[in-house]
Amino acid sequence: MSEATNAPVQEFEYKAEMKQLLHLIIHSLYTHPEVFLRELVSNASDALNKVRFMQVRNLPVLQPEAELRITIDIDEANQNLSIEDTGVGMTREDLIERIGTVASSGTLEFLSKAKSGEEKFDGGELIGKFGVGFYSVFMVTEEVTIETRSANPDEKAWRWTSRGEGKYTIEEIDRKERGTRIFFKLKEEAKDIANEYRIKDLIKKYSNFVDFPIFIGKDKINSVSALWQRKKEDLQKEELDEFYKFVAGDFREPMDSLSLHIEGRVNFKALLFVPAEAPMGYFDPREEKSLHLYVNRVFIQDDCKDIVPEYLRFLKGVVDTEDLPLNVSREVTQSSPVTAKIREIVTNRVLGMFEDWATSDAEKYATFFKQFGNYLKLGLGSDFTNKDRLVELMRFETSKTDAGKMTSFKEYVSAMSEDQKEIYYITGESRAVVEKNPNLEYFRKNNIEVIFLTGPVDLFTITTLTDYDGKNIISTEKADIDIAKDQDADAEDALKGREAKDILTRCKEILGDRVEDVIESKRLVDSVATLVVGKTGMDAQMERMMKMMDSNFASSKKILEVNMRHPLMKNLARINSENHDDPTLVQAVEQMYQGALLVEDNLQDPVDFVRRAMEFMEKATRS
Ligand code: ADP
Ligand code: MG
């Protein structure tokens, strides 16, 4: 322990949320208390990266010749542990602002949910997710001391002590060495961690890829190796999996990896991973800090957003290049032609990998697409260079696939009959919903495959896709669908001539401005009516989406198509020819129209609809 100076010891209070966090950490995370070691080593490694970075930029550094390393000392007899680094150290302000504050606001929220049992969690996973960080040390000890001296030659050295109970103290000390030493006595429950073999094991498990040597006493215990510098053939699966877990902060194995050694107009090496699962949402914290940029093996950024396009952000791993300056800033990585070239090559190779899976291992590709398909769909709207490749990578369920099974455009087109000139899709909330849509009846009956678009992202992507292989891609709802086969076989029993014309006119009169037109349907088989849109209109799903985004969005008028073979239409036509103004006729047409609205989930006023249904039932059951 370094000498204290004569300066007074100052006492500080943690902020309220910090106290709450500490309480939760100490009382909820005990399932994996040993993760504290990973947290402290990772902080030491961050601190060492920062010094290395200062040095390559020629900034003044205290003790420039000091070796960059982490040293762990174990005193088994007294259950003491100390972790020391020669990194940037901390100023007094750092100690107050960085050590006394909660890192991410999401952490507290998640922790309290976990505690109240709302969310299941695993201590290790949790810390990996949110970086509870330094404070995890209070799982294994009652009191922690930090002695630190900043790498800035003008700063003094400080001692920080806390029992994690709401208070901490800071005093000036007489420490000469640059860097930070953290030490503490292990609690009774955690005393078996004070064991050389145990510590070695933990370092191997959690911190094997730290880019600085870790010593226990005089022995170096980790294998400092830049895995991405090695050729793919020399990499073992176990090593790759471990490395992935290390960079991605994930506890599962990755789906696959891609190693690139590129020489030419731009030079770089990369080791990239596709995780096993997509993050929960775009704001999942694991999304960040998982694509690392190195320049000549010097760590530069841990969340380099510029080396892959937005839609491939789910990739994790490392890109290391000689072609950027070491003091590269965010602005430079954004605009540099080197990053642009790297991005182009990485995208090309990654898409190539997906294409390989798609051709040689359809099952693997399907698993991948279920996880990351939405990302690729976003790419369809943004990566115009690779649009054709992305289109081929699309998969979707159709009226001919079993639930959960998917097909491609290529397969769809090769299964089309010669008469079919267009590619059809139908949109809806889920497979179950679209399967019941009356607009599907005609296609079913004529054995025409229809693509099911059921995710919110699908609706946007389909607007960017107008055709494939020279064939228009159109909604089953579009009124003037080019129906090749006609309905002759059934047409005999349909309403025809004057009677048909009159009932269509009467329907239009009753519905007035609410519909664009009322016409005879070619697509309905069992249902009596359906709403469709003209060539320029949007289909129902798309329109609902637009309304969600813009409350002033005006719907386009629909066309009501009616089934002239349906007994109800025949009855209505008969009533119409007897009495034009029959109230039952008016009510029935209303009900038919509102029923069609209800099916596409656009009925505003169900009360009216239900009331009318009751009246009809009452009439039907009258004795
Ligand atoms: P995180 O590492 O996610 O920022 P931590 O709780 O692990 O969160 O650490 C909080 C902060 O304390 C770090 O960001 C860093 O500024 C500082 N810190 C922790 N350990 C060290 C260390 N060994 N050397 C220098 N600074 C450190
Ligand atoms: Mg940390």
Side-chain angles (χ1 to χ4, degrees):
M1 201 187 254
S2 304
E3 286 297 307
T5 61
N6 291 329
V9 178
Q10 261 192 293
E11 198 172 81
F12 298 82
E13 284 260 349
Y14 288 121
K15 293 197 185 120
E17 76 261 21
M18 195 63 224
K19 287 188 199 166
Q20 199 187 341
L21 177 64
L22 282 169
H23 182 86
L24 285 163
I25 291 171
I26 298 164
H27 296 96
S28 314
L29 298 181
Y30 53 84
T31 43
H32 293 268
E34 76 275 5
V35 295
F36 83 91
L37 189 63
R38 177 182 72 185
E39 292 300 317
L40 295 187
V41 169
S42 114
N43 286 349
S45 160
D46 290 348
L48 289 161
N49 266 320
K50 287 177 194 159
V51 171
R52 183 151 73 181
F53 197 54
M54 285 169 83
Q55 287 184 306
V56 297
R57 299 181 86 167
N58 289 321
L59 295 168
V61 163
L62 184 70
Q63 296 183 314
E65 70 294 339
E67 183 194 5
L68 298 174
R69 61 182 262 167
I70 299 168
T71 312
I72 300 175
D73 280 314
I74 308 162
D75 173 357
E76 284 190 37
N78 296 306
Q79 304 163 30
N80 286 335
L81 215 57
S82 135
I83 291 138
E84 180 159 20
D85 64 68
T86 50
V88 274
M90 283 176 272
T91 62
R92 187 170 175 279
E93 289 65 45
D94 289 339
L95 286 168
I96 295 169
E97 272 159 32
R98 313 234 170 176
I99 296 280
T101 334
V102 187
S104 99
S105 54
T107 312
L108 264 184
E109 198 182 314
F110 186 87
L111 274 172
S112 53
K113 274 195 193 151
K115 208 191 163 207
S116 65
E118 265 176 69
E119 233 161 282
K120 273 205 342 218
F121 74 101
D122 162 296
E125 179 192 349
L126 177 71
I127 293 187
K129 255 186 168 165
F130 292 106
V132 172
F134 170 76
Y135 281 93
S136 57
V137 72
F138 285 109
M139 288 189 283
V140 295
T141 186
E142 255 135 36
E143 186 178 59
V144 181
T145 304
I146 302 176
E147 292 184 351
T148 185
R149 179 163 190 147
S150 167
N152 180 340
D154 302 332
E155 294 286 344
K156 296 174 184 155
W158 303 97
R159 176 185 297 139
W160 176 100
T161 312
S162 176
R163 296 178 59 81
E165 284 165 348
K167 288 201 179 77
Y168 61 90
T169 60
I170 296 181
E171 67 190 294
E172 196 184 330
I173 51 168
D174 193 19
R175 179 185 160 99
K176 300 272 183 297
E177 306 80 32
R178 177 188 80 208
T180 304
R181 176 166 172 253
I182 296 176
F183 56 95
F184 46 89
K185 185 180 171 70
L186 288 160
K187 279 185 201 171
E188 206 45 33
E189 308 95 272
K191 69 168 187 230
D192 55 323
I193 296 177
N195 170 295
E196 205 176 308
Y197 297 104
R198 186 73 201 284
I199 297 276
K200 271 189 195 163
D201 249 22
L202 291 175
I203 297 282
K204 282 247 173 311
K205 180 169 170 201
Y206 290 125
S207 314
N208 206 25
F209 297 97
V210 167
D211 205 17
F212 301 95
I214 303 174
F215 289 86
I216 295 186
K218 291 193 168 43
D219 304 332
K220 192 173 115 182
I221 56 166
N222 62 332
S223 49
V224 181
S225 71
L227 225 56
W228 59 91
Q229 296 285 345
R230 292 199 247 145
K231 292 262 182 231
K232 177 131 197 165
E233 309 83 81
D234 304 331
L235 295 168
Q236 309 292 324
K237 182 182 182 305
E238 291 71 33
E239 273 180 318
L240 286 168
D241 289 353
E242 284 308 308
F243 183 68
Y244 165 74
K245 290 178 192 173
F246 175 73
V247 278
D250 199 348
F251 54 95
R252 289 158 299 198
E253 277 159 27
M255 193 175 291
D256 210 339
S257 66
L258 180 67
S259 152
L260 300 176
H261 285 196
I262 305 292
E263 280 168 25
R265 276 203 290 146
V266 66
N267 302 287
F268 69 94
K269 294 188 170 77
L271 189 51
L272 300 170
F273 297 89
V274 179
E277 275 178 35
M280 309 275 238
Y282 289 109
F283 303 110
D284 189 310
R286 271 177 300 163
E287 275 271 276
E288 296 158 24
K289 301 196 167 192
S290 302
L291 204 47
H292 297 196
L293 176 67
Y294 281 69
V295 169
N296 256 329
R297 296 202 49 196
V298 176
F299 173 84
I300 305 289
Q301 286 177 19
D302 59 7
D303 60 342
C304 190
K305 300 203 184 334
D306 309 310
I307 41 192
V308 291
E310 171 109 33
Y311 72 95
L312 294 178
R313 288 276 168 80
F314 58 86
L315 294 169
K316 315 274 163 174
V318 169
V319 172
D320 189 350
T321 179
E322 302 151 28
D323 298 346
L324 284 169
L326 273 168
N327 59 358
V328 63
S329 66
R330 295 250 143 148
E331 293 69 45
V332 172
T333 55
Q334 255 168 39
S335 58
S336 156
V338 173
T339 1
K341 192 79 195 140
I342 294 178
R343 187 167 56 231
E344 186 191 319
I345 296 173
V346 167
T347 306
N348 182 27
R349 301 294 284 265
V350 168
L351 292 182
M353 173 170 75
F354 299 156
E355 286 158 356
D356 282 351
W357 295 351
T359 44
S360 64
D361 191 347
E363 203 173 314
K364 176 174 187 169
Y365 186 70
T367 310
F368 162 76
F369 194 82
K370 280 192 186 123
Q371 290 297 327
F372 299 101
N374 277 344
Y375 286 81
L376 298 190
K377 287 173 193 165
L378 293 176
L380 212 50
S382 58
D383 186 353
F384 302 109
T385 324
N386 291 302
K387 187 166 173 181
D388 291 347
R389 298 173 75 182
L390 286 162
V391 169
E392 297 295 348
L393 287 168
M394 290 299 128
R395 295 292 180 273
F396 31 75
E397 292 191 26
T398 76
S399 53
K400 289 190 178 178
T401 62
D402 293 334
K405 292 268 178 290
M406 293 180 293
T407 187
S408 64
F409 279 113
K410 191 171 251 141
E411 287 168 301
Y412 178 100
V413 166
S414 69
M416 270 165 60
S417 82
E418 255 174 49
D419 303 339
Q420 190 184 337
K421 302 280 180 271
E422 293 167 322
I423 297 171
Y424 302 109
Y425 69 85
I426 187 163
T427 61
E429 232 136 88
S430 65
R431 184 177 177 110
V433 169
V434 291
E435 278 188 324
K436 286 193 206 108
N437 191 318
N439 287 339
L440 208 56
E441 291 171 4
Y442 168 83
F443 298 88
R444 275 252 166 71
K445 183 151 177 277
N446 290 290
N447 198 26
I448 299 171
E449 189 168 21
V450 176
I451 294 172
F452 290 168
L453 299 179
T454 51
V457 183
D458 287 339
L459 297 177
F460 286 112
T461 46
I462 203 66
T463 58
T464 67
L465 270 183
T466 50
D467 58 282
Y468 174 82
D469 194 21
K471 293 160 188 72
N472 287 333
I473 303 177
I474 54 177
S475 166
T476 52
E477 270 183 45
K478 300 274 170 159
D480 57 350
I481 259 173
D482 169 28
I483 288 169
K485 299 175 192 171
D486 60 33
Q487 304 263 10
D488 278 348
D490 297 301
E492 289 154 28
D493 60 331
L495 281 169
K496 281 193 274 300
R498 169 117 226 147
E499 216 182 4
K501 198 163 164 266
D502 284 353
I503 185 65
L504 291 174
T505 314
R506 184 65 186 128
C507 287
K508 175 75 176 95
E509 269 169 26
I510 293 167
L511 297 174
D513 267 357
R514 287 173 289 170
V515 293
E516 181 73 46
D517 204 357
V518 180
I519 60 169
E520 176 177 357
S521 179
K522 295 231 178 358
R523 75 187 81 210
L524 292 175
V525 178
D526 300 318
S527 303
V528 67
T530 188
L531 284 160
V532 298
V533 284
K535 252 240 153 39
T536 52
M538 289 181 180
D539 70 15
Q541 279 287 319
M542 187 77 77
E543 215 170 75
R544 255 213 322 286
M545 194 92 166
M546 296 302 288
K547 280 189 193 145
M548 261 160 58
M549 294 186 299
D550 173 7
S551 54
N552 294 323
F553 183 83
S555 319
S556 51
K557 265 193 219 164
K558 295 289 179 70
I559 297 167
L560 184 73
E561 280 192 7
V562 292
N563 182 352
M564 295 306 230
R565 273 162 292 127
H566 199 283
L568 176 59
M569 281 315 293
K570 292 180 184 168
N571 292 346
L572 293 180
R574 180 177 39 77
I575 298 176
N576 187 41
S577 63
E578 287 161 8
N579 175 11
H580 213 62
D581 294 321
D582 188 302
T584 307
L585 170 66
V586 177
Q587 293 295 299
V589 172
E590 260 321 316
Q591 196 71 349
M592 205 164 69
Y593 168 67
Q594 293 203 0
L597 279 175
L598 183 63
V599 167
E600 58 170 48
D601 209 3
N602 271 329
L603 180 63
Q604 303 293 338
D605 182 12
V607 175
D608 202 28
F609 180 82
V610 171
R611 184 188 47 75
R612 220 179 293 107
M614 294 305 150
E615 280 171 19
F616 278 119
M617 283 198 281
E618 195 264 330
K619 266 186 214 157
T621 52
R622 223 178 262 167
S623 57

